[in-house]
Amino acid sequence: MAAQRRSSSFGSPQQEQLLKSADVLKSQLDKANLQLLRNMSDFHSWKLDPESDDTLDLEGVKDPAIVAADVAAQISFLRKLKFQYLEQNAKDRYVKSIVSDIDDAPIVTAEDNKELLASNAAKKERLKVAKSSLAEMQSDIRTLAPLVENGEPSQHPHPFKIKDDAAKASLLAQQILDARLALTRLRKTHPHPRLTVPLADQKLVDQVEEMQALNDELEAVNAEVQDVKEQVKHGVLHVEALRVERAEVDKAVKIARVEEDDARLVPLYSWYAASTNLHRSVVGLHESYTASENELRLTYGIDPLVEGALAHRIMITLIFAPDTRRLAAVQTRGLEELGVDVGDLVDAHVQVNDVHGVVAAILSRARTRNVA
C-alpha cells in the first residue's frame, strides 16, 4: 500500500510539471555559460592585498572555506526540507483519498501503475546515463587537472599553464605595486604645481636660447684665448731676447767690474753727489719718490711772489704704461693754489711721449704764473 501511495504521488501531473521545469532550468543553465567553475577557482585563489589602493569596503568578508562549509550545510538542509515536503504532500494526498467519498476518490488502476513504472524506468535510465556521463567527466577532470597545472601539452587546442600564469600574475602584481610606490615617491618629491607641457616647451625654448648665447660667448672666449696665446708667444720671444741682452750686459759688467777698494770710486761718488745737489738746487727739485714700477713722484719748490714768504711746493706724478717706457698720464698737485691750469700742456706732451718737456713746461708755467 505504501509503495502504491508513493508511486501515485510521484507520477502525478504536478510532479511531471516540476520535472519538466527542472529540465528546462538545467538546459538554460547549460546554455548560459556562467563559468561557475572558473569563478569558483578565481574565488578560491583570490588573496586580499592590504597595501592596494583599489581595495573596496571589505566589511563582512569571510574565509572561502567557511563560506563553502555554510553553502554545503544549506544545501543539505534544503535537500532534507525537499524530502520532508514530498513526504508530507504524499501523506496529505493519501489521507484525503481515504477520508473522502469513494465516488470522489481518484481511481488507481493497474494500467496507471504500469505507466508509472515505465516512466520511472525511463527516468532511471536517463539518470543512469547522466551519472555515467558525470563520472566520465569527473575522471577526465582528475586526469587532465595535473597536466593543466604542470603546463604539459594535451589534446586541448589551447593548453593552459596554470603555474606559469600564476607566477606571471604574481610578477605583474609586484610590478604594479612597485610602480605605484615609485609614483607616490615622485608625487611627494615634486609637489604641485608640476611641470606641464606648455611650461616644458617654454623652458626648452629658453634653454635653447641660453645655450646659443653660451655658445656665442664660448666662441668669443676661444678667440680671446687665441689672441692671448699669440701675445704670450710674442712675450716669450721678447723675454728670450731680453735674456740674451741681459747675458751680454752681465758679461760686460763682469769685464768692467772694479774692486771695492778702488780709490777712484770715492772722488767719483763725491762728484756725482755734488752734481746732483747742484741740479736739484738749480731746478728746485726737493724730493723724488718711486711709488711703484710705473709711477714716479717729483716734488718741486716754486719761489713766492712776495719776498720773505715760504716756497710753495707742487708734486708732479708721472705714470708710465706697464712694461713700457711710454708716458700714460701726468697728475699734478699744488697748482690749484697758484691758479695755474696745465691741462693743455699735459695732453700735448703725453701724446708725443715727452717726459722732460712736460715737466719743464709745467714748472715754467707755474713759475711765471701764466694761466692759459
Side-chain angles (χ1 to χ4, degrees):
M1 182 65 69
Q4 186 177 0
R5 287 200 309 271
R6 189 176 292 112
S7 300
S8 63
S9 64
F10 282 140
S12 62
Q14 294 181 356
Q15 294 296 327
E16 292 292 336
Q17 188 68 25
L18 292 174
L19 289 174
K20 290 181 180 179
S21 300
D23 292 336
V24 171
L25 179 60
K26 181 177 181 299
S27 63
Q28 289 179 355
L29 289 175
D30 293 337
K31 293 179 181 179
N33 191 17
L34 298 178
Q35 300 180 356
L36 296 178
L37 296 176
R38 183 175 64 81
N39 293 337
M40 184 177 67
S41 62
D42 294 341
F43 178 76
H44 285 294
S45 62
W46 183 80
K47 295 181 179 180
L48 178 62
D49 188 2
E51 297 181 357
S52 176
D53 296 332
D54 300 334
T55 55
L56 301 176
D57 189 6
L58 299 178
E59 294 182 358
V61 175
K62 296 181 180 180
D63 189 0
I66 298 175
V67 174
D70 293 342
V71 171
Q74 292 176 3
I75 291 175
S76 176
F77 173 74
L78 290 175
R79 285 178 179 175
K80 292 180 181 180
L81 186 61
K82 180 181 178 182
F83 179 76
Q84 291 178 2
Y85 169 75
L86 294 176
E87 185 178 8
Q88 292 296 330
N89 190 16
K91 288 181 180 180
D92 184 62
R93 288 177 178 275
Y94 179 72
V95 171
K96 286 182 179 181
S97 64
I98 292 177
V99 299
S100 61
D101 294 337
I102 191 165
D103 296 334
D104 298 334
I107 300 174
V108 179
T109 61
E111 295 296 332
D112 294 336
N113 291 333
K114 288 180 180 180
E115 291 179 0
L116 183 59
L117 288 175
S119 177
N120 290 336
K123 291 179 180 179
K124 288 180 180 180
E125 189 66 25
R126 290 197 302 269
L127 180 60
K128 185 177 180 181
V129 172
K131 286 183 177 180
S132 63
S133 177
L134 179 60
E136 184 179 358
M137 184 181 296
Q138 290 178 351
S139 176
D140 293 340
I141 290 174
R142 293 190 186 97
T143 304
L144 295 177
L147 300 179
V148 173
E149 183 178 1
N150 297 327
E152 298 180 4
S154 62
Q155 297 179 356
H156 196 277
H158 301 287
F160 300 99
K161 296 182 180 180
I162 294 189
K163 288 186 177 180
D164 295 342
D165 293 342
K168 186 176 180 180
S170 178
L171 179 60
L172 291 176
Q174 185 63 34
Q175 290 179 355
I176 290 173
L177 290 177
D178 295 340
R180 288 178 178 173
L181 181 59
L183 182 60
T184 303
R185 290 177 178 174
L186 287 175
R187 287 177 178 175
K188 290 182 179 179
T189 305
H190 304 284
H192 290 285
R194 297 187 179 92
L195 189 65
T196 60
V197 175
L199 291 178
D201 294 337
Q202 184 62 34
K203 188 174 183 180
L204 178 61
V205 172
D206 296 339
Q207 288 180 350
V208 169
E209 294 178 356
E210 184 179 359
M211 290 175 63
Q212 186 65 33
L214 292 176
N215 192 15
D216 297 340
E217 185 177 355
L218 179 61
E219 292 179 357
V221 171
N222 290 332
E224 186 177 356
V225 168
Q226 289 298 122
D227 296 338
V228 172
K229 286 183 178 180
E230 293 294 331
Q231 294 178 4
V232 169
K233 185 184 294 185
H234 292 300
V236 169
L237 295 177
H238 184 64
V239 168
E240 291 296 331
L242 292 178
R243 286 180 179 177
V244 174
E245 184 178 356
R246 179 180 177 181
E248 294 177 356
V249 171
D250 291 340
K251 186 177 180 181
V253 168
K254 290 179 180 180
I255 295 174
R257 189 189 317 179
V258 295
E259 297 296 336
E260 294 181 358
D261 55 351
D262 194 349
R264 295 177 297 174
L265 291 178
V266 177
L268 289 174
Y269 175 76
S270 300
W271 173 80
Y272 178 74
S275 299
T276 303
N277 293 330
L278 179 61
H279 177 72
R280 286 186 176 183
S281 62
V282 170
V283 299
L285 179 63
H286 288 272
E287 182 182 3
S288 62
Y289 172 68
T290 304
S292 61
E293 294 181 356
N294 60 335
E295 183 178 348
L296 178 61
R297 297 177 182 176
L298 303 176
T299 304
Y300 291 91
I302 304 299
D303 296 333
L305 296 177
V306 181
E307 295 183 1
L310 296 177
H312 182 75
R313 294 189 179 185
I314 63 173
M315 179 182 294
I316 302 174
T317 302
L318 303 176
I319 301 175
F320 299 88
D323 299 331
T324 62
R325 296 182 179 181
R326 184 170 183 81
L327 184 63
V330 177
Q331 298 177 359
T332 59
R333 184 186 301 173
L335 295 177
E336 292 80 3
E337 292 82 354
L338 300 177
V340 177
D341 184 12
V342 293
D344 54 346
L345 296 177
V346 170
D347 295 337
H349 289 82
V350 167
Q351 290 180 0
V352 297
N353 194 24
D354 188 1
V355 179
H356 300 284
V358 70
V359 173
I362 291 173
L363 293 177
S364 175
R365 180 167 292 186
R367 288 169 180 167
T368 57
R369 307 292 198 276
N370 184 12
V371 182

